[in-house]
Amino acid sequence: MTAARNRTAATARPLRRVLVANRGEIAARIIRTCRRLGIEAVLAVSDADTRTLPARLADATVRLGPPPSAASYLDVSAVVSAAVASGAQAVHPGYGFLSENQRLARACADAGIVFVGATPAQLAAVGDKLRARAHAEAAGIPVVPGGELTDPADAAELAERIGFPLLVKAVGGGGGRGMKRVTDPARLLPTVELAMSEAQAAFGDPRVYLERFIASGRHVEVQLLGDGERVVHLGTRDCSVQRRYQKLIEEAPAPVLDEHLREDMHRAAVRFGQRLGYRGLGTVEFLVDTRRRSFYFLEMNARIQVEHPVTEAVTGIDLVAEQLAVAEGHPLRLAQADVVSRGHAIECRINAEDYTNGFLPHPGTVSHAEWPVGEGIRVDTHVQAGSQVPPFYDSLLAKLIVHAPTRAAAVQRLRGALARCRVEGVRTTIGLHEAVVADQAFVVGGVDTAWFGRYLAGIGHG
């Protein structure tokens, strides 16, 4: 192991220029770490993003194409061509878009460009949710009872073995996409057929599988970092405050969690990463059954996560810097004993949405933006006065992150920070976050994934 690591270190290639193939707050966040490390950052932009804050922060920009994602940020050939034209040695895909796309990873390799992420084989292994489940089982990690559905006509028989309620999931989906809940057996077949049609349209893969729905579950994930030989974990995050499987608030470490269970999840996640020989940042997601005090493997996200700042806050580790070091060919710079969690961190995703009207996106021009500053407060954003919120992309405006010695102190700090957020010109979810973090159930901690839906129904927005 030591000899192999020394050989890797000897062949490491320092990165001088990186193409950031993303937009919004994650682009700005990656660019800032590149600048701190003395790496030139070239930003790949659509025509809608040429005058954004990330474009001004970058050392240079290169055009991908027109605003629609399919013609720009999701165009593999355009991204690789932009990297070659700009002289970039590596592509950092951020999250979303092409961040877990094995075609991009292979195309980068073919062009002699480093893909800042997992290998094509690893992306294929975890991108197919059935293959990922098989890897989890082989690593001795429990999975939620379920199975592949090859023919809609067999749905009733498989559902009878699993039991209702259940979930219909797209094999090629992830992050809550391609998932439908079924409580009524009479609705099973039409839901399966609809899910298969939507999966084909969204992911180019019509396959679905059925999985038992665990009503009292919590979404807890473990951050991993690997160099292809060693894998370490950076602790847990709780992402249970969700709407329709989309995360709204995340925190680290996961609160109100049995410590023995937490350690078991750490070990399980590391085993999963070791089985893959994992390289880069990745997150293993689990569903915690609070009634049975057990957990199940859900999926692995082979990329940096939206919620990575809460892990950075409690560990003091710049995850983007570690990604880049691994991409350069360095062995891990961290041993497991080096990873120490201090205090508690919470993140709110602030979106341009009208939460009083079904969370409809609210594009437009930001006429005023004011973000809080102070001890234990971090804001990752690309938005300032005059910023355009285009209708083509995700509605995320900013991530507000707070860190404090205890969770109670973090909640208090978050409430004060939210009260000092001001965004005008577009509707936002700031007011909703203020109400949620003041709710007693959230203050106590440990809510399940269904809690937010009940909360919305209680205030008349369900």
Side-chain angles (χ1 to χ4, degrees), residues 18-212:
V18 171
L19 181 82
V20 180
N22 214 298
R23 65 177 305 280
E25 65 83 19
I26 189 60
R29 189 261 170 276
I30 295 167
I31 291 168
R32 287 190 170 102
T33 286
C34 286
R35 296 182 75 175
R36 182 176 65 80
L37 298 175
I39 300 171
E40 291 183 20
V42 179
L43 181 66
V45 297
S46 76
D47 291 341
D49 288 330
T50 57
R51 297 183 179 181
T52 60
L53 176 61
R56 294 197 299 275
L57 290 173
D59 294 287
T61 61
V62 58
R63 180 180 182 270
L64 286 177
S69 298
S72 52
Y73 296 108
L74 290 174
D75 187 330
V76 171
S77 62
V79 170
V80 175
S81 295
V84 172
S86 65
Q89 299 162 288
V91 171
H92 196 309
Y95 56 69
F97 293 131
L98 295 172
S99 60
E100 296 177 278
N101 189 290
Q102 54 185 295
R103 285 183 54 237
L104 175 61
R106 287 199 182 96
C108 284
D110 292 343
I113 295 168
V114 175
F115 178 76
V116 183
T119 67
Q122 291 163 356
L123 291 171
V126 300
D128 183 307
K129 302 312 173 190
L130 290 174
R131 287 183 61 187
R133 280 171 61 96
H135 279 295
E137 290 180 294
I141 305 169
V143 298
V144 180
E148 182 178 7
L149 187 61
T150 55
D151 186 337
D154 299 329
E157 181 181 347
L158 179 58
E160 186 176 350
R161 296 201 304 268
I162 297 170
F164 287 91
L166 55 78
L167 293 172
V168 182
K169 289 185 167 185
V171 171
R177 299 171 302 164
M179 191 183 307
K180 297 183 182 298
R181 181 182 173 187
V182 182
T183 57
D184 181 0
R187 295 297 307 160
L188 178 61
L189 183 57
T191 301
V192 165
E193 291 174 338
L194 177 61
M196 294 179 75
S197 174
E198 291 182 355
Q200 175 64 42
F203 312 114
D205 183 351
R207 292 177 299 156
V208 299
Y209 63 104
L210 305 186
E211 193 174 83
R212 180 184 297 166

Side-chain angles (χ1 to χ4, degrees), residues 100 126-129 169-179 202-203 209 219 244-247 285 298-301 303 305:
E100 296 177 278
V126 300
D128 183 307
K129 302 312 173 190
K169 289 185 167 185
V171 171
R177 299 171 302 164
M179 191 183 307
F203 312 114
Y209 63 104
H219 181 127
R244 297 182 179 176
Y245 306 108
Q246 298 301 308
K247 303 167 187 174
E285 301 191 345
L298 284 177
E299 64 181 19
M300 183 182 196
N301 291 313
R303 54 173 166 78
Q305 295 276 84

Side-chain angles (χ1 to χ4, degrees), residues 415-427:
R415 292 174 69 175
L418 282 166
R420 302 203 302 277
C421 292
R422 296 282 187 276
V423 177
E424 298 173 3
V426 295
R427 295 184 182 275

Side-chain angles (χ1 to χ4, degrees), residues 286-304:
F286 296 104
L287 185 66
V288 176
D289 189 334
T290 54
R291 294 176 180 172
R292 293 183 172 88
R293 296 171 69 86
S294 58
F295 65 89
Y296 302 96
F297 172 86
L298 284 177
E299 64 181 19
M300 183 182 196
N301 291 313
R303 54 173 166 78
I304 195 166

Side-chain angles (χ1 to χ4, degrees), residues 57 62 178 206 217 271 314 330 332 430 436:
L57 290 173
V62 58
R271 287 201 307 274
V314 297
H330 292 288
L332 283 188
I430 293 172
V436 168

